[in-house]
Amino acid sequence: MDNIATLIADPAAWAALVTLVVMEVVLGIDNLIFISILSNKLPEAQRQKARRVGIGLALVMRLLLLTAIAWIVALTQPVFDLGLTGPVGAHGEPSFETQFSWRDLILIAGGLFLMWKATKEIHHSIDSEESPELLDKTRSAVEIGFTAAIVQIILLDIVFSIDSILTAVGMTEHVEIMYVAVIAAVTVMLVAADPLANFINRNPTVVMLALGFLLMIGMVLIAEGFGAHIPKGYIYTAMAFSAGVEMLNIFARRRRERAKSGAGH
């Protein structure tokens, strides 16, 4: 209790908390986009449940990982080294390296899964012929779809949770601050989940943009697994710019639709 009282009275602790909450929310956007796209493929009655379960599992995993911080930090220790390194960049770091830790291997596996899933969804979006199982509305088909969606959400939750906790560990040494930041960030995800998913569902072109984001995030995860240091600011700036352009497209499309409906009357 004395430690918590000391942290409450420490302005530096509050600054660390606010910064970490913002970072965790930003890192959670990737997770949220994936959950939104997957949940929208389920029957409407099960979408909200899938989102709640997915985000709830994300919170549980992050809190469990926080209780095992020593193990999480140990994941950054090298496991094996292939002895290959890329040319040294402007900041004195190699462009890539093949000294792999468990964290690197998890990021590479997660990136490959994300790229496979995004590519599969893009192919499904542009394929004019629907597969037969999509037309099967029996109870068993719905249950299998829900289970498959939750399993895929869990796999990506693990990847994003480990990355999230390692970020927290790098920003503060106080576990109490990490707990509060993680709970606050996941609460924001919980509040934003339904509006984001509904917005994506109402605007089909946003689905393709979101899938493009997932492809890019998958590539970034793989690059980070190989030791390439890509500033997150570049990634999120590109995503924000693309989202801004898409918002303009949606606004222009709606104005044209209103103009047509007005002319029709």
Side-chain angles (χ1 to χ4, degrees):
M1 291 297 293
D2 291 340
N3 187 35
I4 295 175
T6 303
L7 287 175
I8 291 175
D10 185 2
W14 283 100
L17 175 62
V18 172
T19 305
L20 190 52
V21 168
V22 173
M23 285 295 296
E24 292 294 323
V25 169
V26 171
L27 287 171
I29 291 172
D30 309 341
N31 210 168
L32 195 55
I33 290 174
F34 183 78
I35 291 173
S36 298
I37 290 176
L38 267 184
S39 63
N40 281 344
K41 293 181 71 64
L42 293 171
E44 191 169 351
Q46 293 188 336
R47 291 175 186 175
Q48 188 178 63
K49 180 181 177 183
R51 289 193 286 268
R52 295 287 182 264
V53 171
I55 296 171
L57 288 171
L59 174 60
V60 170
M61 287 180 190
R62 282 163 169 79
L63 295 179
L64 287 175
L65 291 174
L66 276 174
T67 64
I69 283 181
W71 175 72
I72 290 294
V73 172
L75 290 178
T76 60
Q77 300 301 316
V79 178
F80 63 90
D81 188 354
L82 299 180
L84 301 174
T85 56
V88 177
H91 299 290
E93 298 176 338
S95 57
F96 72 90
E97 56 188 4
T98 55
Q99 186 181 67
F100 297 104
S101 65
W102 282 113
R103 173 184 177 270
D104 295 331
L105 296 177
I106 291 170
L107 289 179
I108 291 170
L112 288 172
F113 173 74
L114 208 53
M115 290 188 68
W116 168 79
K117 183 62 181 175
T119 302
K120 183 179 177 183
E121 294 298 327
I122 290 173
H123 179 266
H124 172 72
S125 296
I126 63 177
D127 189 1
S128 58
E129 296 183 3
E130 292 187 331
S131 56
E133 61 266 21
L134 290 176
L135 303 178
D136 188 356
K137 299 299 182 183
T138 63
R139 180 175 174 79
S140 60
V142 170
E143 287 177 351
I144 293 171
F146 183 82
T147 303
I150 294 301
V151 169
Q152 292 179 58
I153 288 171
I154 289 173
L155 290 174
L156 260 295
D157 274 348
I158 292 171
V159 176
F160 288 125
S161 293
I162 289 175
D163 211 25
S164 168
I165 299 308
L166 285 171
T167 299
V169 170
M171 291 188 65
T172 180
E173 59 185 19
H174 300 292
V175 181
E176 297 88 348
I177 292 178
M178 296 181 200
Y179 272 109
V180 175
V182 165
I183 293 172
V186 174
T187 301
V188 172
M189 288 173 62
L190 201 59
V191 172
D194 288 343
L196 177 63
N198 293 334
F199 178 77
I200 289 175
N201 194 44
R202 287 196 307 268
N203 299 277
T205 57
V206 176
V207 175
M208 194 62 72
L209 179 65
L211 290 172
F213 287 164
L214 293 182
L215 267 179
M216 180 174 65
I217 294 162
M219 293 176 66
V220 169
L221 290 177
I222 294 171
E224 288 185 353
F226 278 92
H229 301 286
I230 302 174
K232 288 291 194 298
Y234 294 163
I235 305 301
Y236 293 117
T237 300
M239 290 174 67
F241 179 79
S242 301
V245 172
E246 182 61 23
M247 291 302 102
L248 291 175
N249 281 329
I250 291 172
F251 180 70
R253 189 161 56 244
R254 287 179 178 173
R255 289 201 64 176
R256 286 197 298 270
E257 288 172 357
R258 282 199 297 267
K260 286 181 180 178
S261 60
H265 291 300

